């Protein structure tokens, strides 16, 4: 619920210099193509206790479809890196999502980073969540309500992410 409350229709609250696209039926999912060549994809990815397995499965299918549609619709020449935003840390519970999009990231051939919350973490931790993907990194950010703002700089090259 926090994801929807905090990020739902945020573009209506600010005068933004970019267009925010939303997934029909899952408006909490969004994409932004920044002028500097970064494609940002916000996804409703959660972990914890699953109250409804079917709803959880369907949400992941929709998340995968959203990523695949946005990667297919966005001209690869217009972006040099991908930034994914979500709440849940990559885990076996999310294998059905990450297993699918890792193949997509590899086929696009652009470096990617996944920024997510980490309730028990200390500060900001950059790590490699999947051994089979050298293009995909992740950053665990201590629970957003108790952390200072995090700055993500996307430079050039195969390892363009600086997080502090």
């Amino acid at each position: 619920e926090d994801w929807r409350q905090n990020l739902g229709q945020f573009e209506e609250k600010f005068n933004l210099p970019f267009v925010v696209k939303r997934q029909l039926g899952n408006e909490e999912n969004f994409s932004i193509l920044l002028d500097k060549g970064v494609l940002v994809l916000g996804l409703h990815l959660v972990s914890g206790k699953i109250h409804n397995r079917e709803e959880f499965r369907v949400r992941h299918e929709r998340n995968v479809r959203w990523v695949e549609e946005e990667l297919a619709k966005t001209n690869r020449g217009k972006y040099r890196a991908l930034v994914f935003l979500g709440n849940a840390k990559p885990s076996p519970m999310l294998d059905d999502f990450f297993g699918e999009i890792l193949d997509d990231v590899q086929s696009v051939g652009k470096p990617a980073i996944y920024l997510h919350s980490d309730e028990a973490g200390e500060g900001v931790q950059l790590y490699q969540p999947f051994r089979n993907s050298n293009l995909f990194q992740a950053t665990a950010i201590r629970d957003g309500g108790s952390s200072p703002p995090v700055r993500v700089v996307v430079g050039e090259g195969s390892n363009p992410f600086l997080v502090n």
Side-chain angles (χ1 to χ4, degrees):
E1 194 62 32
D2 287 341
W3 182 263
R4 289 183 189 139
Q5 288 174 343
N6 294 323
L7 293 173
Q9 308 304 319
F10 66 86
E11 65 274 18
E12 294 176 3
K13 299 171 186 158
F14 303 98
N15 183 17
L16 302 173
F18 47 78
V19 174
V20 177
K21 293 194 278 183
R22 299 258 174 202
Q23 183 182 24
L24 187 61
N26 282 46
E27 284 74 18
E28 65 271 23
N29 288 350
F30 62 89
S31 74
I32 301 166
L33 179 59
L34 299 174
D35 288 341
K36 303 289 184 186
V38 178
L39 180 59
V40 179
L41 294 159
L43 300 153
H44 188 184
L45 284 174
V46 296
S47 59
K49 185 176 180 178
I50 299 174
H51 299 285
N52 182 328
R53 290 202 178 279
E54 182 62 11
E55 185 274 335
F56 192 80
R57 184 190 65 74
V58 168
R59 181 185 318 136
H60 282 203
E61 285 178 1
R62 288 179 178 163
N63 285 337
V64 168
R65 190 171 352 138
W66 176 242
V67 170
E68 290 177 343
E69 287 172 358
E70 289 305 296
L71 292 179
K73 284 193 268 183
T74 307
N75 181 329
R76 289 184 192 180
K78 293 196 177 215
Y79 63 93
R80 68 181 188 287
L82 298 161
V83 174
F84 294 93
L85 307 174
N87 186 55
K89 180 178 184 171
S91 69
M93 176 186 268
L94 302 175
D95 281 351
D96 58 335
F97 171 76
F98 283 108
E100 294 284 332
I101 71 152
L102 281 176
D103 291 340
D104 299 323
V105 168
Q106 288 297 122
S107 69
V108 167
K110 309 280 184 176
I113 191 168
Y114 174 58
L115 305 172
H116 65 85
S117 175
D118 184 11
E119 293 175 3
E122 294 293 324
V124 176
Q125 304 163 357
L126 183 63
Y127 66 100
Q128 201 77 33
F130 307 105
R131 281 185 259 155
N132 58 341
S133 179
N134 60 346
L135 290 174
F136 200 96
Q137 296 180 342
T139 297
I141 302 166
R142 193 167 191 288
D143 185 36
S146 60
S147 294
V150 173
R151 181 177 181 199
V152 179
V153 177
V154 183
E156 302 288 335
S158 62
N159 189 10
F161 305 109
L162 175 63
V163 180
N164 56 18

